[in-house]
Amino acid sequence: MFDLSVVQLVLANLAIIAGACLQGVAGYGIGTLSAPLLFLISPILLPAPLVLNATLLTILMLIRNRGALEVRQVRFAIGGGFVGMILAGITLALISPKGFELVFGILILAGVALSVGGLKPGLNARNSAIAGAASTYMGTITAVGGPPIALIYQNEKGPLVRANMSAFFLVASFFSLTALSLSGYLGVRELGLFAATFPGVLIGFLMSGKLVNRMPFEGLRPIILGIAAIAGAAALIRGLMSL
């Protein structure tokens, strides 16, 4: 199906299960964990099929955590996300398929650097807008939009993090899908790949409900970032070799 074997589709669903479960527990993670794995399975699984899966996941998470949502805090990030959408659309319109791997690798490694850099920006209007723009830009091109927005929520409590980040990711996902569609990166093939992989989101989301108070996210963080770094480096090397 769509140039993927049955084994690749099974592996893709497993990668999405892991990422969806992680996001259901920590508030983000389907991009950070699943995108690098999907790239290693097949680059055609990114970015649109994963963004579609992430959209479904954020809807489910927002329903689950709606009681902790604080809309006022999210609006500035959403405003920044609109700017990020425009910049991402321009980037996608200008780069070639070969250049996509290069940009993908650079942005994945940038996301890893943000996650391990020790930055602790405060949760305020300015930082929310900047994080929203960066998150939507990265999320549109790589499906990894978590690190920038996660930085400003790193000192907040779990329910608030999961609710507010889900609300932001939902709007950002629609921004991303708009940019992907207008730039030709969302079509029949991508919709078919989403249809073949969305069961992974449902399974991962259901699993997260059982693990939300048991899963040691901080213990898994080095492994997740290690996977992302390897995939980012691989994409960067492939992109350089194709120039």
Side-chain angles (χ1 to χ4, degrees):
M1 177 184 181
F2 300 105
D3 299 322
L4 292 181
S5 67
V6 174
V7 172
Q8 286 176 305
L9 286 174
V10 171
L11 291 174
N13 273 278
L14 290 174
I16 290 174
I17 288 172
C21 184
L22 178 64
Q23 182 152 324
V25 172
Y28 80 103
I30 190 170
T32 308
L33 179 57
S34 299
L37 293 173
L38 292 175
F39 178 82
L40 295 175
I41 295 167
S42 175
I44 70 171
L45 291 162
L46 296 165
L50 183 55
V51 174
L52 288 165
N53 276 302
T55 305
L56 173 60
L57 178 60
T58 53
I59 292 172
L60 296 173
M61 286 190 60
L62 192 55
I63 293 172
R64 177 195 282 173
N65 298 285
R66 62 188 180 278
L69 178 64
E70 294 187 12
V71 177
R72 188 174 67 173
Q73 288 188 1
V74 183
R75 59 183 178 178
F76 298 106
I78 291 174
F82 182 77
V83 177
M85 173 193 70
I86 295 174
L87 295 175
I90 294 172
T91 301
L92 289 171
L94 294 177
I95 62 174
S96 66
K98 291 181 179 180
F100 174 81
E101 290 189 347
L102 185 62
V103 173
F104 179 92
I106 292 171
L107 291 179
I108 288 289
L109 293 175
V112 172
L114 285 174
S115 296
V116 301
L119 297 176
K120 294 185 178 180
L123 182 56
N124 56 45
R126 184 195 64 183
N127 290 341
S128 292
I130 294 172
S135 182
T136 305
Y137 180 81
M138 292 177 62
T140 302
I141 296 174
T142 68
V144 183
I149 200 72
L151 284 176
I152 63 172
Y153 279 100
Q154 59 187 302
N155 296 318
E156 304 300 319
K157 295 181 179 180
L160 173 66
V161 171
R162 289 188 289 270
N164 278 20
M165 289 182 67
S166 294
F168 166 74
F169 284 139
L170 181 58
V171 178
S173 292
F174 283 111
F175 284 162
S176 295
L177 292 173
T178 299
L180 289 168
S181 179
L182 293 176
S183 56
Y185 282 80
L186 175 58
V188 175
R189 183 182 71 172
E190 288 72 26
L191 291 173
L193 290 169
F194 165 62
T197 54
F198 84 87
V201 165
L202 301 180
I203 295 171
F205 175 74
L206 292 174
M207 288 174 60
S208 71
K210 306 293 184 181
L211 299 172
V212 68
N213 295 316
R214 303 177 185 176
M215 195 172 177
F217 177 67
E218 286 304 316
L220 294 173
R221 191 165 176 265
I223 299 174
I224 295 165
L225 294 177
I227 293 170
I230 292 171
L236 185 60
I237 292 170
R238 286 175 55 166
L240 290 171
M241 290 178 64
S242 67
L243 293 178

